[in-house]
Coordinates of all heavy atoms in Angstrom, one line a residue:
E296 N -29.5 178.0 165.4 CA -30.3 177.5 164.3 C -30.1 176.0 164.1 O -29.0 175.6 163.7 CB -29.8 178.2 163.0 CG -30.7 177.9 161.8 CD -30.3 178.7 160.6 OE1 -29.5 179.6 160.7 OE2 -31.0 178.5 159.5
I297 N -31.1 175.3 164.5 CA -31.0 173.8 164.5 C -31.7 173.3 163.3 O -32.9 173.5 163.1 CB -31.6 173.2 165.8 CG1 -30.7 173.7 167.0 CG2 -31.6 171.7 165.7 CD1 -31.2 173.2 168.3
M298 N -31.0 172.5 162.5 CA -31.5 172.0 161.2 C -31.6 170.5 161.2 O -30.5 169.9 161.2 CB -30.6 172.6 160.0 CG -30.6 174.1 159.9 SD -29.2 174.7 158.9 CE -27.8 174.5 160.1
N299 N -32.7 170.0 161.3 CA -32.9 168.5 161.3 C -33.1 168.0 159.9 O -34.1 168.2 159.3 CB -34.1 168.1 162.2 CG -34.4 166.6 162.1 OD1 -33.5 165.8 161.7 ND2 -35.6 166.2 162.6
L300 N -32.1 167.3 159.4 CA -32.1 166.7 158.1 C -32.1 165.2 158.1 O -31.6 164.6 157.2 CB -31.0 167.3 157.2 CG -31.4 168.6 156.4 CD1 -31.3 169.8 157.4 CD2 -30.5 168.8 155.2
G301 N -32.7 164.6 159.2 CA -32.8 163.2 159.2 C -33.6 162.7 158.0 O -34.6 163.3 157.6
L302 N -33.3 161.5 157.4 CA -33.9 161.0 156.3 C -34.3 159.5 156.5 O -33.4 158.7 156.8 CB -33.0 161.1 155.0 CG -33.6 160.7 153.7 CD1 -34.8 161.6 153.3 CD2 -32.6 160.8 152.6
S303 N -35.5 159.2 156.3 CA -36.0 157.8 156.6 C -35.2 156.8 155.7 O -34.9 157.1 154.5 CB -37.5 157.7 156.3 OG -38.2 158.5 157.2
S304 N -34.9 155.6 156.3 CA -34.3 154.5 155.6 C -32.8 154.7 155.4 O -32.1 153.7 155.0 CB -34.9 154.2 154.2 OG -36.3 154.1 154.3
E305 N -32.2 155.8 155.7 CA -30.8 156.1 155.4 C -29.8 155.4 156.2 O -30.1 155.0 157.4 CB -30.6 157.6 155.5 CG -29.2 158.1 154.9 CD -29.2 159.6 154.9 OE1 -29.0 160.2 155.9 OE2 -29.3 160.1 153.7
T306 N -28.6 155.1 155.6 CA -27.5 154.6 156.3 C -26.3 155.4 156.1 O -26.2 156.2 155.2 CB -27.2 153.2 155.8 OG1 -26.6 153.2 154.5 CG2 -28.4 152.3 155.8
V307 N -25.3 155.3 157.0 CA -24.0 155.9 156.8 C -23.0 154.9 156.2 O -22.0 155.3 155.7 CB -23.5 156.5 158.2 CG1 -23.0 155.3 159.1 CG2 -22.3 157.4 158.0
S308 N -23.4 153.7 156.2 CA -22.6 152.6 155.7 C -22.7 152.4 154.2 O -21.8 151.8 153.6 CB -22.9 151.3 156.4 OG -24.3 150.9 156.1
G309 N -23.8 152.9 153.6 CA -24.0 152.7 152.2 C -24.6 151.4 151.9 O -24.8 151.0 150.7
L310 N -25.0 150.6 152.9 CA -25.5 149.2 152.7 C -27.0 149.3 152.5 O -27.7 150.2 153.0 CB -25.2 148.3 153.8 CG -23.7 148.1 154.1 CD1 -23.5 147.2 155.3 CD2 -23.0 147.5 152.9
S311 N -27.6 148.3 151.8 CA -29.0 148.1 151.6 C -29.3 146.7 151.4 O -28.6 146.0 150.6 CB -29.5 149.0 150.5 OG -31.0 148.9 150.4
E312 N -30.3 146.1 152.0 CA -30.7 144.7 151.8 C -31.4 144.6 150.5 O -32.0 145.5 150.0 CB -31.5 144.2 153.0 CG -32.9 145.0 153.2 CD -32.8 146.2 154.1 OE1 -31.8 147.0 153.9 OE2 -33.7 146.3 154.9
E313 N -31.4 143.4 150.0 CA -32.1 143.1 148.8 C -33.6 143.2 149.0 O -34.1 142.8 150.1 CB -31.9 141.6 148.3 CG -30.5 141.4 147.7 CD -30.3 142.1 146.4 OE1 -31.3 142.2 145.7 OE2 -29.2 142.5 146.1
G314 N -34.3 143.8 148.1 CA -35.8 144.0 148.2 C -36.2 145.0 149.2 O -37.3 144.9 149.7
H315 N -35.3 145.9 149.6 CA -35.7 147.0 150.5 C -37.0 147.7 150.0 O -37.1 148.0 148.8 CB -34.6 148.0 150.8 CG -35.0 149.2 151.6 ND1 -35.3 150.4 151.0 CD2 -35.3 149.3 152.9 CE1 -35.7 151.2 152.0 NE2 -35.7 150.6 153.1
A316 N -37.9 148.0 150.9 CA -39.1 148.7 150.5 C -39.9 148.0 149.4 O -40.4 148.6 148.5 CB -38.8 150.2 150.1
G317 N -39.9 146.7 149.6 CA -40.6 145.9 148.6 C -40.0 145.9 147.2 O -40.7 145.7 146.2
G318 N -38.7 146.2 147.2 CA -38.0 146.3 145.9 C -38.1 147.7 145.2 O -37.7 147.8 144.1
K319 N -38.8 148.6 145.8 CA -39.1 149.9 145.2 C -37.8 150.8 145.0 O -37.6 151.5 144.1 CB -40.2 150.7 145.9 CG -41.5 150.0 145.8 CD -42.5 150.7 146.7 CE -43.9 150.0 146.7 NZ -44.9 150.7 147.5
F320 N -37.0 150.8 146.1 CA -35.7 151.6 146.0 C -34.8 151.1 147.1 O -35.2 150.5 148.2 CB -36.0 153.1 146.3 CG -36.7 153.4 147.6 CD1 -36.0 153.7 148.7 CD2 -38.1 153.4 147.7 CE1 -36.6 154.0 149.9 CE2 -38.7 153.7 148.9 CZ -38.0 154.0 150.0
P321 N -33.5 151.2 146.9 CA -32.5 150.8 147.9 C -32.5 151.9 149.0 O -33.0 153.0 148.9 CB -31.2 150.8 147.2 CG -31.4 151.8 146.1 CD -32.8 151.7 145.7
R322 N -31.9 151.5 150.1 CA -31.7 152.5 151.2 C -30.9 153.7 150.7 O -29.9 153.5 150.1 CB -31.1 151.9 152.4 CG -31.9 150.9 153.1 CD -31.3 150.4 154.4 NE -32.2 149.5 155.1 CZ -33.2 149.8 155.8 NH1 -33.5 151.1 156.0 NH2 -34.0 148.9 156.4
P323 N -31.3 154.9 151.1 CA -30.5 156.1 150.7 C -29.1 156.0 151.5 O -29.0 155.5 152.6 CB -31.3 157.3 151.2 CG -32.7 156.7 151.4 CD -32.5 155.3 151.7
D324 N -28.1 156.4 150.8 CA -26.7 156.5 151.4 C -26.5 157.9 151.8 O -26.5 158.8 150.9 CB -25.7 156.0 150.3 CG -24.3 156.1 150.8 OD1 -24.0 156.6 151.9 OD2 -23.4 155.6 150.1
L325 N -26.1 158.2 153.0 CA -25.9 159.6 153.5 C -24.9 160.3 152.5 O -25.0 161.4 152.2 CB -25.3 159.6 154.9 CG -24.7 160.9 155.4 CD1 -25.8 162.0 155.4 CD2 -24.0 160.7 156.7
H326 N -23.9 159.5 152.1 CA -22.8 160.1 151.3 C -23.2 160.6 149.9 O -22.5 161.4 149.3 CB -21.6 159.2 151.3 CG -21.1 158.9 152.7 ND1 -20.3 159.8 153.4 CD2 -21.2 157.8 153.5 CE1 -20.1 159.3 154.6 NE2 -20.6 158.1 154.7
E327 N -24.4 160.1 149.5 CA -24.9 160.6 148.2 C -25.3 162.1 148.3 O -25.1 162.8 147.3 CB -26.1 159.8 147.7 CG -26.6 160.1 146.4 CD -27.5 161.3 146.4 OE1 -28.3 161.5 147.4 OE2 -27.5 162.1 145.4
R328 N -25.7 162.5 149.5 CA -26.2 163.9 149.6 C -25.4 164.7 150.6 O -25.6 165.9 150.7 CB -27.7 163.8 150.2 CG -27.8 163.3 151.6 CD -29.3 163.3 152.0 NE -29.4 162.8 153.4 CZ -29.9 163.4 154.4 NH1 -30.3 164.7 154.3 NH2 -30.0 162.9 155.6
L329 N -24.4 164.1 151.2 CA -23.7 164.8 152.3 C -23.0 166.1 151.8 O -23.1 167.2 152.5 CB -22.7 163.9 153.0 CG -21.9 164.5 154.2 CD1 -22.9 165.0 155.2 CD2 -20.9 163.5 154.7
D330 N -22.4 166.1 150.7 CA -21.7 167.3 150.2 C -22.7 168.4 150.0 O -22.4 169.6 150.3 CB -20.9 167.0 148.9 CG -19.7 166.1 149.1 OD1 -19.2 166.1 150.3 OD2 -19.3 165.5 148.2
R331 N -23.9 168.1 149.4 CA -24.9 169.1 149.1 C -25.4 169.7 150.4 O -25.6 170.9 150.6 CB -26.0 168.6 148.3 CG -25.7 168.1 146.9 CD -26.9 167.8 146.1 NE -27.8 166.8 146.7 CZ -27.7 165.5 146.6 NH1 -26.6 165.0 145.9 NH2 -28.6 164.7 147.1
V332 N -25.6 168.8 151.4 CA -26.2 169.2 152.7 C -25.2 170.2 153.4 O -25.6 171.2 153.9 CB -26.5 168.0 153.6 CG1 -26.8 168.4 155.0 CG2 -27.7 167.3 153.0
L333 N -23.9 169.8 153.4 CA -22.9 170.6 154.1 C -22.8 172.0 153.4 O -22.6 173.0 154.1 CB -21.6 169.9 154.2 CG -21.6 168.6 155.1 CD1 -20.2 167.9 155.0 CD2 -21.9 169.0 156.5
A334 N -22.8 172.0 152.1 CA -22.6 173.2 151.4 C -23.8 174.1 151.6 O -23.6 175.4 151.7 CB -22.5 172.9 149.9
K335 N -25.0 173.6 151.7 CA -26.2 174.4 151.8 C -26.4 174.9 153.3 O -26.7 176.1 153.5 CB -27.4 173.7 151.4 CG -27.6 173.4 149.9 CD -28.2 174.6 149.2 CE -28.5 174.3 147.7 NZ -29.1 175.5 147.1

C-alpha cells in the first residue's frame, strides 16, 4: 500500500522566502502536518 502525500511548495526545513506565491501564503512546513499524517 503506497501512499503518496507529497505537497507542493513544502519544505522539511520550515523556511519560506518573503512574498512566496505572490504573498498569498508561506511555504507549508512538513512538521505542521507530520504528526497527523503518521497517525492516519
